[in-house]
Amino acid sequence: MLVALVALATSCASLAPPVPTTEPRLESGQSAPSGPDLTLDATDQRAPFGQYEAAVADLASCMASEGAAMTVPAYDSSTGLFVYDYDQANEVVFDDCYRRAFAGLDGAVFETSPAVPLAEAAGDIGDWSQVPADSWLGLLASFPLRSYTRWAALTVVDFDRAISTFGIERPGPSASDARVLAYLGDLAAEAGIVPAGPLAEFGRSAYPDQMRAELGFDHRAFAQVASAGVAGHHLTVARGRFDPEAIGRAVAEDPLWSDLLEAQQVAGVQVFGWGSDFGIDLERMSPVRPVGHHRRLAVTPDEILWARWSDGITDALDAIDGRDHSLADATPLRVLAELADEKLLYTGVLTASLAAFVPDLARQRSDQYLLQRPQAVLVGDGVDELGRFVLVAAVYPSETAAETQLETLSQRITEMSMLSPEGDLLVEIDGPRNYSVSQDGSVLYAQMWADDDNPLPPAERLIAFG
């Protein structure tokens, strides 16, 4: 299931910010590319959200009928708009389709769904210093509450839980590289943990000796790795067992990057930097930095931070030390992290961006059991006394709001329990899988246990939102 989770995370990240109908400026100050501007004078006629949604659907249908490449419009909870992208070679077709789809509505200001505010916790900063060191809630507390984290997919790989769950032996400090590679093979075979998602931030194909030569540690150091971000604004947090002295020696002796190395103390933490914020040097491609990204690395004995710009490190250190809000202060994400801890998930994605779960608008007209959009979603893998399972969960604004969706989720999961992917289709299997559907206050969640003979439906089909 991890491969599906990584694909989900990639999909979510690619949609923020994409080419939308309207788009605010990025935090860098650069304006994102956009389609025709829907922000008109306030004295113009106002049109309800339903008309806007129908016009977007007509736009997508027109593009499809013309054979023009366009991504499926997907709702973005951070803006209250549908987001989509299209091949710029088809710009003339797009303009024509847009005029037809929005005919008669050009003088309207659309009443889009309200965007969700960045910080639910506008008051006190939470004290998360006492949460267990191995908790996902603690991981959330290491990510600053910023738009580039709040509306991205947070992807988590928990090595310690996977090792404990599947009885995998972690190599010791003196183990050979062959033993470390065997360990990585065990993680892939048993738990589906592969060099993708947050691990890809350290190079998709970096061997242990290459990672040690460049950074002073390798894969055996990781207890948990999590990442979240948008484009270059991407932050990776790794917890585990790190040797600051070994890291210092490695980065100073690395023949490819050491001439760019700068070291400084930030809030009492050693931070190494190479080059400029968001810089790329195609002459310095390396196993850990295969496209030559300039990087920043903050180092403590039990945690490292890895990013492409200095403020990303500074923001994270402020969150960790309680000087600023963290993702743990975002209530929907905090509730889901607590559920992940309760279920001992070993991989997962937490996100408030529902783009990957919104079915394409053509299929949505006939799809059944669509949930109302929640505040955030969790998809993750775990193992219990019944075997391996995938868990999906959704947080709603209140217990009452969640209760109205319980029957819909039950119907959806019941339907999915009888299906398995075959190519691009879902086909019926001989008998239903084991599953459960539960409500806990404002949270709805479902578990579906794996069947050795039939793969589980992909995450974006287990639940979908209208």
Side-chain angles (χ1 to χ4, degrees), residues 24-388:
R25 286 184 171 271
L26 306 183
E27 290 195 345
S28 63
Q30 295 179 343
S31 180
S34 65
D37 188 4
L38 298 182
T39 306
L40 304 176
D41 186 89
T43 60
D44 291 326
Q45 174 189 358
R46 300 188 67 82
F49 181 78
Q51 287 182 263
Y52 162 60
E53 185 174 24
V56 173
D58 290 342
L59 170 63
S61 177
C62 177
M63 292 288 282
S65 67
E66 295 292 335
M70 175 176 165
T71 60
V72 174
Y75 181 76
D76 182 359
S77 59
S78 67
T79 63
L81 298 167
F82 284 95
V83 294
Y84 49 83
D85 200 353
Y86 62 92
D87 188 340
Q88 296 300 305
N90 297 322
E91 186 171 3
V92 173
V93 176
F94 174 84
D95 289 344
D96 181 60
C97 285
Y98 182 87
R99 281 193 295 271
R100 282 190 266 169
F102 286 84
L105 296 174
D106 288 339
V109 174
F110 290 100
E111 295 174 348
T112 57
S113 295
V116 181
L118 176 62
E120 296 89 339
D124 294 339
I125 297 168
D127 180 6
W128 311 108
S129 61
Q130 302 305 311
V131 300
D134 61 350
S135 73
W136 287 20
L137 181 56
L139 276 176
L140 286 186
S142 294
F143 285 85
L145 185 63
R146 298 289 188 272
S147 59
Y148 62 81
T149 56
R150 180 65 176 88
W151 307 120
L154 177 77
T155 308
V156 182
V157 175
D158 198 313
F159 287 83
D160 281 0
R161 287 183 186 172
I163 288 169
S164 175
T165 297
F166 296 101
I168 297 171
E169 183 181 354
R170 185 197 302 272
S174 60
S176 67
D177 287 332
R179 178 67 192 90
V180 178
L181 287 172
Y183 162 69
L184 295 177
D186 292 340
L187 287 169
E190 298 294 331
I193 295 175
V194 296
L199 290 182
E201 294 297 310
F202 299 99
R204 291 182 181 272
S205 57
Y207 284 86
D209 60 327
Q210 294 171 326
M211 186 181 294
R212 285 198 311 277
E214 197 165 328
L215 296 178
F217 58 86
D218 61 32
H219 309 79
R220 79 189 98 179
F222 296 140
Q224 300 166 316
V225 182
S227 64
V230 176
H233 293 80
H234 208 96
L235 174 66
T236 301
V237 175
R239 289 180 159 186
R241 293 155 285 276
F242 302 99
D243 182 345
E245 292 186 2
I247 293 173
R249 287 194 302 270
V251 298
E253 296 171 3
D254 171 37
L256 190 60
W257 289 98
S258 59
D259 66 309
L260 289 183
L261 179 65
E262 294 182 359
Q264 60 178 316
Q265 292 281 321
V266 178
V269 174
Q270 181 69 65
V271 177
F272 299 105
W274 297 265
S276 60
D277 283 352
F278 310 108
I280 295 178
D281 188 341
L282 297 180
E283 300 299 321
R284 295 178 188 262
M285 292 185 289
S286 62
V288 173
R289 286 166 272 204
V291 293
H293 282 162
H294 293 178
R295 286 283 187 174
R296 311 288 182 259
L297 174 67
V299 180
T300 73
D302 54 10
E303 190 169 49
I304 62 169
L305 309 174
W306 185 237
R308 291 185 58 196
W309 80 117
S310 298
D311 285 351
I313 298 294
T314 303
D315 290 348
L317 292 175
D318 286 344
I320 291 169
D321 290 342
R323 293 186 294 270
D324 203 349
H325 288 99
S326 73
L327 287 185
D329 293 312
T331 302
L333 297 180
R334 179 174 71 249
V335 168
L336 292 178
E338 291 170 341
L339 178 60
D341 286 336
E342 177 187 336
K343 297 295 182 180
L344 295 177
L345 301 186
Y346 58 88
T347 66
V349 175
L350 303 89
T351 183
S353 177
L354 305 183
F357 297 100
V358 177
D360 64 78
L361 298 184
R363 194 182 76 212
Q364 183 169 329
R365 296 187 182 98
S366 59
D367 213 346
Q368 298 184 34
Y369 315 130
L370 297 176
L371 293 164
Q372 291 182 8
R373 297 181 181 96
Q375 295 176 312
V377 176
L378 163 68
V379 182
D381 295 309
V383 176
D384 62 11
E385 64 277 4
L386 297 180
R388 296 178 63 151

